């Protein structure tokens, strides 16, 4: 409080006690000044630099702002902070918020890619590194992690989340929050985190961004809420409601979820910040009668901060004065904003995050680049490797690299790398050139881009392919073909890439496909024909090096898909944790829940990924065949590396409740573990399950364990049939107050 003691307000020094300080400050604030704290100014972002147009900046009514979105860099943030701290009556510092989604200046794999590493410790480390860089550049608050479960790859924002599964999603949500926090205050690399977009944004109908969601209460509680609950349990500082509506109620006016679930059930005491202009959009949804009504609906539902729309600033004071919004609720929201500023130490030193020396020392460091390379390696998924074509030898006569994405630096860093500099990334072509032996010739031809209508110089490409020992085709999406407002109805390779690939395959040369994309693609018969397929997503600053590490075998691939890859768009939504139905598709016969023109199974299931070695699994051994609902169960499996290389396997445990009072998914992920094994090495892994894992929500949505048999599967992906069976001998109601689901976390 030193800063404020020195300045003093209304001539009198503020109380030294932190609680009293906030209360004292509140007492000094006019209603308008309070509402200003709830006003977030949205400024334009560009991918390459800090960001507020200087002319516009001069016009900004900064004293009417409590937080700013999109500014970064010590100079920029310091200047803005000075305007507010020095010129406003109460000298309350600004909060600087930024979308630090997958790294900052050092760019890490996009979240969907990183989820393929199934590695919460890694997710925590990359979030930490991002926070170190962002906080050294003036940023206090990130709008991450994005924890939306997504089961529809048409939705472009699947790239920003952890995929289809709530258990994996919850584990990664919690890890990210811890990573952004680090050691916590008063460490100046502590960054506030926000879980978004609350909730069911990923359930947008037709996969069309911003579209309505209409999911059942059961699906809401079992699938969509758990990652948010995990983030809240991990101490997340903010929650951002989603743009869309759920069952007729926009999330920005959804009292039941914002106040009922978040505030009352989960006791969330942090900030609820609107999405960009979303309070204004309540009129578009057709539920607000006018501008003031938007403010009333959003604020009374529980939204503390208005991002960008200025609706609160214009209408909240009048709503308080005429009694439609309680002053106490405004005080509570303002108190939360001030407390956040206090936790960051901004009242003591408003400039402590805008530090030139810290920025220079901490941004794009060799350590962060090394972490980016490690994360990228671990995110790559080997989908196909016929006749062990991969890894390639580094000594080749020549290799042909084809596809514009091989040199596309923007796609390399991906769609949410606002502070990243594309030119600081290693593209796939650069990575390959660096990795091969000095006498290996690398020929590059773009051939086609994801937006080209026609392939370029196909004859030249054919000739070069005929001369090449091996062809590496880099195919997929540009960065702006995934992400916000980037829904696609056709999930095939866009542009003329398919024609290019056909020409390459027709030469008969071995073709390795590197897929660069932010979502599951629908891989055509042509793509499926290629002998080797690596899913390399958008991997960030070190993408090219990491891809080459895998391609040439310095690193053995270990990633597993965090989301199902369908065979065709018509199968969507397709996810492993589906229900059995009364006529399960696996059954024979005509009247089964299947298609007459497509398989019902995916092309690649959730959890799938190959290695350059092979692993075998023993049948699961159980500590008991029968147990009481209060007892825990150990499930042990022996995993053996049966191949000739050392490698890492992500061992997955799934559970099925065989008979229950409500229908259950055919299996649900309940544990995963990474194990590194030398050739021939075997290791026992034990997972412990307990009532939280056995429980379900009954027809009243109360958590219960029901007596009966369960099947536990342990294996390499979600289709494993390696199983054992046990019985829980008694039923039991669980008294877990405020829980939306029985348990979450990772083993
Ligand atoms: C809109 C996006 O939906 C949200 O994820 C993001 O944090 C805000 N814009 C701010 O950039």
């Amino acid at each position: 409080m030193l800063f404020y003691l020195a300045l003093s307000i209304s001539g009198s020094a503020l109380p030294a006690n932190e609680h009293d300080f906030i209360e004292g400050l509140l007492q000094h604030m006019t209603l308008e000044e309070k509402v200003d704290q709830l006003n977030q100014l949205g400024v334009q972002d560009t991918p390459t630099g800090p960001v507020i147009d200087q002319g516009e900046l001069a016009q900004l009514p900064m004293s009417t702002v409590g937080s700013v979105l999109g500014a970064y860099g010590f100079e920029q943030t310091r200047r803005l902070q000075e305007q507010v701290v020095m010129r406003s009556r109460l000298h309350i510092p600004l909060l600087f918020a930024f979308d630090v989604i997958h790294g900052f200046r050092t760019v890490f794999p996009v979240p969907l890619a990183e989820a393929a590493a199934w590695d919460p410790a890694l997710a925590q480390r990359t979030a930490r590194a991002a926070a170190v860089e962002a906080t050294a550049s003036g940023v206090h608050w990130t709008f991450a992690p994005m924890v939306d479960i997504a089961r529809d790859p048409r939705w472009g924002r699947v790239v920003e989340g952890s995929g289809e599964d709530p258990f994996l999603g919850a584990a990664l949500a919690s890890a990210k929050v811890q990573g952004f926090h680090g050691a916590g205050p008063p460490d100046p690399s502590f960054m506030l985190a926000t879980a978004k977009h609350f909730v069911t944004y990923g359930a947008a109908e037709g996969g069309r961004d911003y579209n309505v969601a209409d999911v059942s209460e059961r699906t809401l509680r079992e699938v969509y809420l758990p990652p948010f609950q995990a983030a809240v349990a991990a101490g997340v500082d903010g929650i951002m409601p989603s743009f869309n509506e759920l069952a007729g109620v926009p999330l920005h006016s959804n009292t039941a979820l914002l106040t009922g679930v978040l505030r009352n059930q989960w006791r969330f005491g942090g900030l609820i910040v609107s999405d960009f202009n979303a309070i204004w959009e309540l009129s578009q949804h057709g539920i607000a009668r006018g501008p003031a009504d938007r403010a009333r609906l959003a604020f009374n539902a529980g939204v503390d901060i208005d991002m960008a729309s200025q609706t609160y600033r214009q209408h909240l004071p009048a709503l308080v004065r005429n009694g439609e919004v309680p002053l106490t609720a405004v005080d509570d929201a303002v108190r939360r904003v001030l407390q956040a500023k206090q936790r960051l130490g901004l009242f003591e030193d408003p400039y402590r995050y805008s530090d030139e020396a810290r920025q220079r020392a901490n941004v794009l460091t060799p350590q962060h680049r090394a972490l980016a390379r490690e994360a990228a390696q671990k995110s790559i998924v080997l989908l196909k490797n016929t006749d062990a074509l991969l890894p390639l030898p580094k000594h080749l006569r020549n290799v042909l690299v084809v596809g514009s994405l091989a040199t596309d630096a923007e796609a390399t860093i991906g769609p949410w790398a606002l502070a990243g500099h594309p030119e600081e990334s290693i593209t796939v072509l650069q990575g390959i050139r660096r990795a091969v032996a000095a006498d290996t010739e690398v020929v590059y031809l773009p051939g086609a881009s994801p937006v080209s209508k026609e392939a370029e110089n196909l004859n030249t490409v054919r000739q070069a392919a005929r001369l090449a020992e091996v062809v590496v085709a880099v195919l997929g999406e540009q960065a702006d073909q995934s992400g916000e407002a980037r829904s696609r109805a056709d999930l095939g390779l866009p542009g003329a890439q398919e024609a290019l690939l056909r020409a390459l395959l027709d030469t008969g040369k071995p073709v390795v496909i590197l897929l660069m994309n932010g979502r599951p693609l629908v891989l055509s018969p042509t793509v499926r024909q290629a002998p080797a397929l690596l899913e390399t997503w958008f991997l960030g600053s070190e993408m090219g090096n990491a891809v080459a590490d895998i391609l040439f075998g310095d690193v053995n691939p270990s990633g597993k898909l965090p989301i199902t890859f369908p065979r065709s768009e018509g199968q969507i939504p397709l996810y492993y944790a589906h229900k059995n139905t009364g006529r399960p598709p696996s059954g024979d016969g005509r009247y089964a829940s299947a298609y007459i023109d497509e398989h019902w199974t995916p092309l690649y299931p959730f959890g799938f990924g190959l290695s350059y070695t092979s692993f075998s699994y023993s049948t699961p051994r159980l500590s008991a065949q029968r147990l009481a609902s209060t007892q825990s169960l150990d499930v042990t499996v022996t995993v053996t590396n049966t191949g000739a290389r050392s490698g890492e396997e992500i061992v997955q445990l799934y559970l099925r409740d065989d008979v229950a009072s409500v229908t259950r998914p055919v299996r649900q992920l309940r544990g995963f573990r990474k194990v590194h094994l030398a050739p021939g090495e075997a290791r026992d892994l034990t997972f412990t399950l307990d009532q939280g894992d056995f429980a379900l929500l009954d027809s009243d949505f109360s958590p219960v364990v029901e007596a009966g048999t369960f099947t536990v599967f342990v294996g390499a992906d979600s289709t494993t049939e390696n199983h054992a069976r046990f019985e829980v001998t008694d039923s039991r109601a669980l008294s877990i107050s405020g829980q939306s689901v029985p348990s979450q976390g990772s083993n």
Side-chain angles (χ1 to χ4, degrees):
M1 286 348 97
L2 295 178
F3 180 81
Y4 278 82
L5 287 173
L7 277 176
S8 88
I9 292 175
S10 307
S12 62
L14 287 164
N17 173 288
E18 295 192 349
H19 168 77
D20 293 349
F21 169 76
I22 300 278
E23 296 309 313
L25 194 48
L26 266 172
Q27 278 171 24
H28 282 85
M29 295 169 82
T30 64
L31 177 57
E32 276 71 15
E33 283 168 338
K34 289 177 181 174
V35 172
D36 290 345
Q37 288 302 307
L38 310 180
N39 182 29
Q40 181 166 111
L41 191 73
V43 294
Q44 220 29 54
D45 293 324
T46 69
T48 48
V51 274
I52 305 175
D53 171 73
Q54 296 305 302
E56 191 188 323
L57 185 57
Q59 312 298 319
L60 295 178
M62 294 306 291
S63 59
T64 64
V65 173
S67 52
V68 165
L69 161 71
Y72 70 96
F74 74 89
E75 281 173 314
Q76 181 87 66
T77 52
R78 196 176 178 96
R79 202 166 334 119
L80 288 168
Q81 195 69 290
E82 272 171 7
Q83 284 190 29
V84 170
V85 169
M86 305 314 293
R87 295 189 208 153
S88 61
R89 187 177 79 90
L90 294 177
H91 321 291
I92 299 174
L94 290 169
L95 274 181
F96 291 109
F98 198 83
D99 289 288
V100 184
I101 309 292
H102 51 108
F104 191 68
R105 181 78 169 262
T106 307
V107 184
F108 299 112
V110 291
L112 186 65
E114 199 182 65
W118 293 56
D119 193 337
L122 177 72
Q124 185 171 343
R125 285 162 65 213
T126 55
R128 182 85 294 266
V132 165
E133 292 198 356
T135 56
S137 310
V139 175
H140 305 128
W141 183 12
T142 178
F143 295 136
M146 191 274 219
V147 303
D148 300 322
I149 295 301
R151 295 177 162 185
D152 189 335
R154 292 172 298 182
W155 190 49
R157 300 196 81 169
V158 296
V159 66
E160 294 174 51
S162 295
E164 75 182 47
D165 184 64
F167 186 88
L168 180 60
L172 294 174
S174 166
K176 282 282 172 207
V177 172
Q178 291 171 44
F180 289 134
H181 282 176
D187 185 313
S189 70
F190 164 72
M191 181 161 67
L192 302 175
T194 310
K196 67 186 188 185
H197 308 81
F198 190 79
V199 58
T200 67
Y201 189 27
E205 279 183 1
R208 194 154 52 81
D209 207 358
Y210 318 123
N211 203 3
V212 303
D214 201 348
V215 304
S216 70
E217 184 164 359
R218 176 164 302 280
T219 303
L220 173 69
R221 290 177 186 237
E222 291 183 354
V223 176
Y224 291 98
L225 284 175
F228 286 97
Q229 191 171 14
V232 170
V236 77
D237 312 276
I239 296 281
M240 182 187 290
S242 56
F243 279 125
N244 61 341
E245 68 160 71
L246 171 60
V249 186
L251 271 302
H252 280 77
S253 60
N254 201 313
T255 310
L257 285 166
L258 298 181
T259 299
V261 171
L262 264 181
R263 292 275 186 235
N264 298 342
Q265 278 183 38
W266 295 357
R267 302 273 162 228
F268 174 66
L271 298 165
I272 299 183
V273 54
S274 88
D275 204 340
F276 199 96
N277 210 34
I279 295 178
W280 185 88
E281 291 167 19
L282 289 174
S283 293
Q284 300 281 51
H285 281 287
I287 61 148
R289 285 189 302 272
D293 211 30
R294 292 173 207 148
R296 179 185 66 80
L297 285 166
F299 190 82
N300 285 346
V303 181
D304 292 328
I305 295 181
D306 172 9
M307 184 197 292
S309 86
Q310 303 287 315
T311 307
Y312 281 1
R313 192 168 73 86
Q314 289 159 4
H315 301 287
L316 216 44
L319 288 166
V320 173
R321 290 198 174 97
N322 69 23
E324 290 184 76
V325 165
L327 179 61
T328 51
V330 172
D331 283 346
D332 287 344
V334 175
R335 194 176 283 116
R336 287 189 280 269
V337 173
L338 297 177
Q339 281 165 349
K341 295 179 176 184
Q342 188 176 48
R343 287 181 78 207
L344 291 157
L346 299 181
F347 290 114
E348 281 157 352
D349 177 3
Y351 309 106
R352 69 193 292 258
Y353 281 64
S354 308
D355 177 336
E356 181 173 5
R358 198 150 74 87
Q359 183 173 314
R360 281 194 208 295
N362 286 295
V363 165
L364 206 69
T365 59
Q367 292 85 347
H368 289 176
R369 289 204 80 121
L371 178 60
R373 187 166 178 165
E374 178 193 339
Q377 291 163 347
K378 290 180 170 165
S379 303
I380 293 173
V381 185
L382 177 64
L383 295 176
K384 185 177 179 188
N385 194 17
T386 309
D387 298 331
L389 174 61
L390 297 178
L392 300 175
K394 287 183 182 170
H395 286 274
L396 287 161
R397 197 177 63 254
N398 60 17
V399 50
L400 172 65
V401 180
V402 187
S404 70
L405 290 172
T407 58
D408 184 336
E410 282 180 13
T412 303
I413 63 170
W416 257 121
L418 297 177
H421 295 199
E423 69 279 8
E424 290 169 349
S425 66
I426 309 291
T427 64
V428 170
L429 181 64
Q430 287 167 337
I432 290 176
R433 284 197 201 283
R434 285 173 175 210
V436 292
D439 55 354
T440 298
E441 187 193 7
V442 178
V443 178
Y444 171 66
L445 291 170
S449 86
V451 292
S452 57
K453 294 217 172 4
E454 284 182 24
E456 256 177 62
N457 300 325
L458 269 194
N459 283 336
T460 317
V461 171
R462 277 191 200 96
Q463 272 167 22
R466 282 192 199 104
L467 294 172
E469 237 175 300
V470 62
V471 178
V472 177
V474 189
L475 307 173
E477 300 178 311
Q478 290 188 344
D480 69 355
Q481 288 174 318
S482 275
E484 184 174 347
R486 292 293 177 267
S487 296
R488 293 179 59 205
D490 174 351
L491 297 181
L493 287 177
Q497 298 179 100
E498 198 77 23
L500 170 68
L501 180 61
R502 186 68 273 151
L504 293 169
L505 290 169
D506 285 348
T507 65
K509 289 291 170 149
V511 178
V512 177
I513 297 181
L514 304 182
L515 290 171
M516 263 176 98
N517 45 278
R519 51 151 65 86
L521 295 175
V522 167
L523 305 178
S524 67
T526 312
V527 179
R528 294 180 212 176
Q529 212 181 307
L533 205 51
L534 278 167
E535 176 53 79
T536 67
W537 321 98
F538 303 125
L539 293 179
S541 305
E542 287 288 322
M543 174 159 191
N545 284 332
V547 166
D549 291 335
I550 298 281
L551 203 54
F552 298 103
D554 288 338
V555 174
N556 194 346
S558 61
K560 303 265 190 176
L561 295 177
I563 187 164
T564 302
F565 274 43
R567 293 172 194 273
S568 58
E569 291 84 354
Q571 294 181 307
I572 296 169
L574 187 67
Y575 46 92
Y576 82 92
H578 61 84
K579 299 290 182 70
N580 204 37
T581 81
R583 297 183 174 191
S586 48
D588 292 332
R590 180 165 179 182
Y591 295 99
S593 176
Y595 299 102
I596 58 169
D597 57 355
E598 180 60 283
H599 295 278
W600 68 274
T601 57
L603 183 63
Y604 294 113
F606 175 81
F608 178 80
L610 302 171
S611 163
Y612 295 153
T613 188
S614 49
F615 300 97
S616 74
Y617 286 74
S618 72
T619 304
R621 303 186 290 281
L622 307 181
S623 59
Q625 244 64 48
R626 302 182 82 230
L627 61 146
S629 58
T630 48
Q631 289 179 304
S632 61
L633 177 77
D634 284 349
V635 181
T636 303
V637 72
T638 309
V639 186
T640 309
N641 181 343
T642 51
R645 282 172 180 267
S646 62
E648 242 174 9
E649 171 73 330
I650 297 167
V651 179
Q652 300 158 43
L653 180 147
Y654 298 86
L655 195 61
R656 177 173 185 160
D657 189 339
D658 297 327
V659 181
S661 59
V662 292
T663 63
R664 305 307 301 144
V666 292
R667 57 183 69 186
Q668 289 178 286
L669 185 70
R670 279 290 172 264
F672 58 89
R673 192 86 55 74
K674 228 174 208 189
V675 58
H676 189 280
L677 296 172
E681 188 182 351
R683 185 98 48 90
D684 283 353
L685 296 180
T686 299
F687 297 85
T688 302
L689 301 175
D690 64 16
Q691 55 184 16
D693 300 298
F694 311 144
L696 54 84
L697 299 176
D698 69 10
S699 52
D700 297 325
F701 301 106
S702 303
V704 293
V705 177
E706 293 180 349
T709 62
F710 290 76
T711 307
V712 59
F713 302 84
V714 187
D717 64 52
S718 61
T719 62
T720 180
E721 285 302 335
N722 186 37
H723 71 274
R725 200 158 275 154
F726 62 93
E727 185 181 350
V728 173
T729 52
D730 61 311
S731 299
R732 224 168 99 76
L734 302 187
S735 54
I736 309 173
S737 66
Q739 288 277 81
S740 66
V741 285
S743 81
Q744 287 303 322
S746 99
N747 276 283

